[in-house]
Amino acid sequence: MLSSFLGHASAIAIASPVVSIVGIRRPTYGEMKQVGVVEKHREMPTFPQSFPMNGGDGPHSYIHNSSYQKVAIDGAKERTREAILEKLDLELLNRNSDANILRIADFGCSIGPNTFNVVQNIIDTVKQKHVKKETHIGAPLEFQVCFNDQPNNDFNTLFRTQPLFSRREYLSVGVPGSFHGRVLPKNSLHIGHTSYTLHWLSTVPKHVCDKKSPALNKSYIQCNNLVDEVTKAYKIQFKKDIGGFLEARAEELVSGGLMILSGQCLPDGIPKALTWQGVVIDMIGDCLMDMAKLGITSKEKIELFSLPTYIPHISEFKANIEQNENFTIETMEEISHPMDYMPLTNGFITSMFRAILNTIIEEHFGDDVVNELFDRLAKKLDKYPINFKRCKKYVNYFIVLKRK
Ligand SMILES: C[S@@+](CC[C@H](N)C(=O)[O-])C[C@H]1O[C@@H](n2cnc3c(N)ncnc32)[C@H](O)[C@@H]1O
């Protein structure tokens, strides 16, 4: 099962007990792991709370390694346009004292270029609507764009690489801070957007790195839905975080304002371990274990490490969204990722995951580990190529909420 899933032909001895959920065995390298003897309880690690994408504009930066996200955002472009044309009433501007200013925010914007494309599409659509004279605003419409991300996001690169002022139709503001809480004044926002962000948690759930806890995520570095206690801990944290995100947006958005959400979920009943993304992260964990055996890092450090990310199942995600009664759900669609049906190269996969995980790996394991880890990942992928046809696919969601 393992070999066919990964497209790898040779036999592999299973050294540790196989974890199962609803009859599905994890068909990855985890089965080969020698699980260490539980050691004396240690203090819970203090995780940094913010892990931006790799900054700068070098070969490993998010700028040059975010085309997977870009393709999905481009795929949602027309839907975003339709949502604004159909659901946004520009009369809402007349309720403000600064009636000619339309404020847009991209939450978790990273360093571009995706955020610039998103914002331009929103502005083009609003302008089209405005030209159609659907508003009585006298003064010319002005756009203010609030670029939000964590304070240690590379805002310098973001602003250095944004379109030149002469070609830009908006004034920009950087808004550093966690989107799990308020980052903008009350009743100040007309259109909010976020893409590929909500799976980032505010923190690693308590207990998954606690050696005394049944929720210890012992041999994995992610929630791959294979250990019930771990999954439960992640679910609780996710619910809390999405709740915080929506509460904050409900305060910031004006009545009638729109919040557009896109990103990825798991299909119901499918564990992350069976998706190609889940396999890759389990492989990264295994590369770390290989490095621990060579003394480059330690098994203990790995056990104290879990990613603060959680991909919810689609119905769980929708149920969490529906909890907030300040919004009407205008659109809730599942769309496929345009790259779902093309096998990605190992180089592409390695670069994409490096751009996303570089910061957090560096913070926990030290910068000397990063190059070696991703070199090893590239080699492991070459040795055990992913069989994309056998992997389960994520579901992409496109959601439009309107503030009541
Ligand atoms: C994968 S990137 C997505 C970037 C961009 N939205 C896109 O679609 O290309 C996720 C971004 O979310 C940001 N992020 C994660 N948690 C956040 C939080 N609590 N508050 C603000 N930004 C956050 C990360 O720093 C990162 O820049």
Side-chain angles (χ1 to χ4, degrees), residues 49-53 62 66 69-70 73 106-115 118 148-153 175-181 183 193-202 245 262 356:
Q49 299 301 301
S50 166
F51 318 97
M53 305 298 98
Y62 189 73
S66 50
Q69 294 84 343
K70 177 188 185 311
I73 292 165
D106 191 23
F107 297 96
C109 62
S110 192
I111 51 172
N114 298 346
T115 188
V118 162
N148 160 257
D149 209 291
Q150 294 279 23
N152 56 345
N153 180 55
V175 181
S178 171
F179 56 45
H180 292 120
V183 289
H193 174 276
T194 197
S195 55
Y196 282 87
T197 49
L198 296 177
H199 56 286
W200 283 94
L201 302 175
S202 60
F245 179 91
S262 67
I356 296 170

Side-chain angles (χ1 to χ4, degrees), residues 129-184:
K129 209 173 158 73
H130 191 235
V131 167
K132 282 187 182 166
K133 305 243 180 308
E134 287 187 22
T135 169
H136 306 306
I137 307 155
L141 197 53
E142 288 199 82
F143 295 95
Q144 184 181 52
V145 177
C146 306
F147 290 99
N148 160 257
D149 209 291
Q150 294 279 23
N152 56 345
N153 180 55
D154 185 359
F155 281 102
N156 283 336
T157 297
L158 175 80
F159 289 119
R160 192 169 47 76
T161 56
Q162 71 177 344
L164 290 176
F165 186 65
S166 52
R167 289 198 226 123
R168 198 171 358 113
E169 297 168 281
Y170 54 90
L171 297 160
S172 310
V173 192
V175 181
S178 171
F179 56 45
H180 292 120
R182 277 263 310 283
V183 289
L184 294 172

